[in-house]
Amino acid sequence: MSMRRKVALAASAAFIATLATATAQDPTSLKDAYKGAFVVGAAINNAQITGQDSRGDAIISEQFDSISPENVLKWERVHPEPGTYAFDLPDKYVAFGEKHHMFIVGHCLVWHSQVPGWVFRDDKGNFVDRDTLLKRMHDHIQTVVGRYKGRIQSWDVVNEALNEDGTLRQSPWLKIIGEDYIEKAFQYAHEADPQAQLTYNDYSLENETKRKGALALITKLKAEGIPVTSVGLQGHLGLQWPSVETEDVTISDFAKLGVKVVVSELDIDVLPPATQQQTADVSLKVEQNAKLNPYAGGLPQSVQQELAKRYADLFGVFLKHRDVVTRVTLWGVTDADSWRNDWPVKGRTSYPLLFDRNGQPKPAFHEVVRIGKSTEAR
C-alpha cells in the first residue's frame, strides 16, 4: 500500500472517529435536545400501541419521552356500554409508556364528542337528570383514572368546553348538570389519583376572545380550590396563524394565573384553509375541492422550508417559557398518521408533522432539534 493511500485512510478513519464522537456527544433526538427544558411527546395510535407499526414504534422510542393516546382512552372506546369497560388497548398503551420510561398522558375524561349516546339518556331514550349524569361521570372517572393511579401521570380532564366567543359550549354535560360539571370532573379525577397532573385542554386559545373565556374559567376554578394543574394549548396551528407574538402572549397570560402550560396536540397545517374560522372542531365537514388539496403529489421544497422555519420559531417561544411549559406533544408520529389528512376535507394529503410518510425526518425536524440544542436558547 502506498504512503499516500495510508495517509488517506488514516485521515478518513480520523474523520469518522471525530464524527462518531461528536454524534455521541451531541443530542440528536427531540427528547435529548429538550432535556431539562420540557418533555417532548407524540400521540400514538392503535397500530403503534400493539406493535403492528414497528417503524412508528422505533421513532417513538428513539425520539420522544412522553406519549398521549390518540383514541383508546376516549369514552366511546374505553367505556362503550353501561358497566362494560374495554381496557385491553389502554393497558397496552400504559405498558408501552412504562417500557420506554415515558411520561404518560391520559386523554380525555370529559368531552362532548366521542361519547356513547347511553351516557346522557335513560333506557327510554330521554335525557337523564343531573344526579344520574354526575354519578355516571363519577363512576367513569373513578374506574378509569383509578385503574392507572400512579401510572398515568397526567390527565386531560375536561376537553373543549368553550365556544369560540369564550362562553361555555352548550354540550349535554352543561345542559344536564350545569356549569359546575367542570368542577366536578376535576374533583373526581383528583379523588381518583391525588398525584396526577390535571389539565383543561382546548384549541384556538390563541384567539383573544376565546382565551379570555378560558382565563376566566381557570381563575374561577382556582378561586374555588379546584385542582387544575395546567392548561393545554392544543396547538393545531397554521403557517401564518397565530403569530409568534400571540403564542408568546397566550402562554404568558396563563402563567400569570399560576398554572403550567402544555402544548398538547401540536401540528402545523400547510394546506389552504378550508374555512375562515380558526378551529379544530372534529365535527366540521367541508366539501372536496382540488384547490384545497394542492400537494397531493408531494410537498414543494419551498413549503418544506417554510414549515421548518415555522416550527423553529414556535419551539423558540416554548423554550423561552420553559419555566412554565412542561410538555410539547406532537399530535401524531408521521404525516401518514395525522388526523389532518381527512379533516375537514375527506382525502386531503397533509404534511403537518416532523416525520414524513416514510418515517424520515423532515427539514422541520432538524430545525426543531437545532433550536433545542442551541446554547443561546438555554
Side-chain angles (χ1 to χ4, degrees), residues 196-311:
Q197 299 176 19
L198 306 180
T199 300
Y200 173 72
N201 193 53
D202 215 328
Y203 59 81
S204 299
L205 296 181
E206 292 83 1
N207 283 337
E208 185 176 5
T209 304
K210 189 170 187 177
R211 182 166 72 251
K212 286 181 177 179
L215 290 166
L217 173 62
I218 301 303
T219 298
K220 179 174 181 289
L221 294 174
K222 295 280 286 184
E224 295 173 356
I226 304 302
V228 181
T229 309
S230 54
V231 171
L233 308 179
Q234 288 189 10
H236 297 300
L237 310 180
L239 287 174
Q240 305 300 326
W241 178 90
S243 68
V244 169
E245 293 76 17
T246 298
E247 193 70 24
D248 190 356
V249 168
T250 300
I251 295 172
S252 296
D253 280 352
F254 286 109
K256 292 173 185 175
L257 300 185
V259 294
K260 297 297 184 180
V261 171
V262 298
V263 182
S264 56
E265 306 180 20
L266 181 62
D267 51 30
I268 297 176
D269 194 9
V270 301
L271 300 179
T275 175
Q276 293 185 357
Q277 190 177 29
Q278 297 292 348
T279 181
D281 189 337
V282 294
S283 66
L284 180 65
K285 304 294 181 187
V286 175
E287 290 185 8
Q288 290 184 341
N289 182 334
K291 293 181 179 179
L292 298 178
N293 192 30
Y295 309 129
L299 194 64
Q301 276 304 308
S302 60
V303 185
Q304 286 276 24
Q305 296 305 320
E306 191 176 358
L307 178 65
K309 183 179 186 306
R310 178 65 163 154
Y311 262 113

Side-chain angles (χ1 to χ4, degrees), residues 62-118:
E62 291 168 4
Q63 294 294 332
F64 301 100
D65 49 6
S66 176
I67 52 171
S68 296
E70 196 170 29
N71 283 302
V72 299
L73 280 168
K74 290 175 180 173
W75 197 313
E76 70 176 6
R77 301 290 183 90
V78 74
H79 193 181
E81 298 177 3
T84 300
Y85 287 86
F87 283 123
D88 181 56
L89 281 175
D91 285 352
K92 287 182 171 66
Y93 163 74
V94 174
F96 181 98
E98 290 176 333
K99 176 182 177 181
H100 297 291
H101 310 289
M102 292 174 158
F103 183 88
I104 305 172
V105 178
H107 175 82
C108 54
L109 296 172
V110 174
W111 189 24
H112 63 275
S113 185
Q114 292 184 254
V115 182
W118 68 263

Side-chain angles (χ1 to χ4, degrees), residues 85 87-88 90-91 141-151 192:
Y85 287 86
F87 283 123
D88 181 56
D91 285 352
I141 292 175
Q142 284 288 318
T143 301
V144 176
V145 176
R147 183 180 183 88
Y148 302 110
K149 181 179 180 180
R151 300 176 69 196

Side-chain angles (χ1 to χ4, degrees), residues 30 34 235 237-239 244 263 265-270 303-318 328-333 335 338 340 351-355 362-372:
L30 294 165
Y34 290 89
L237 310 180
L239 287 174
V244 169
V263 182
E265 306 180 20
L266 181 62
D267 51 30
I268 297 176
D269 194 9
V270 301
V303 185
Q304 286 276 24
Q305 296 305 320
E306 191 176 358
L307 178 65
K309 183 179 186 306
R310 178 65 163 154
Y311 262 113
D313 289 346
L314 287 169
F315 269 83
V317 175
F318 304 152
V328 177
T329 292
L330 282 297
W331 203 245
V333 179
D335 288 341
S338 177
R340 284 191 177 274
Y351 304 84
L353 298 171
L354 299 180
F355 293 87
K362 294 157 63 174
F365 166 84
H366 296 294
E367 277 297 284
V368 169
V369 169
R370 180 185 65 80
I371 292 296

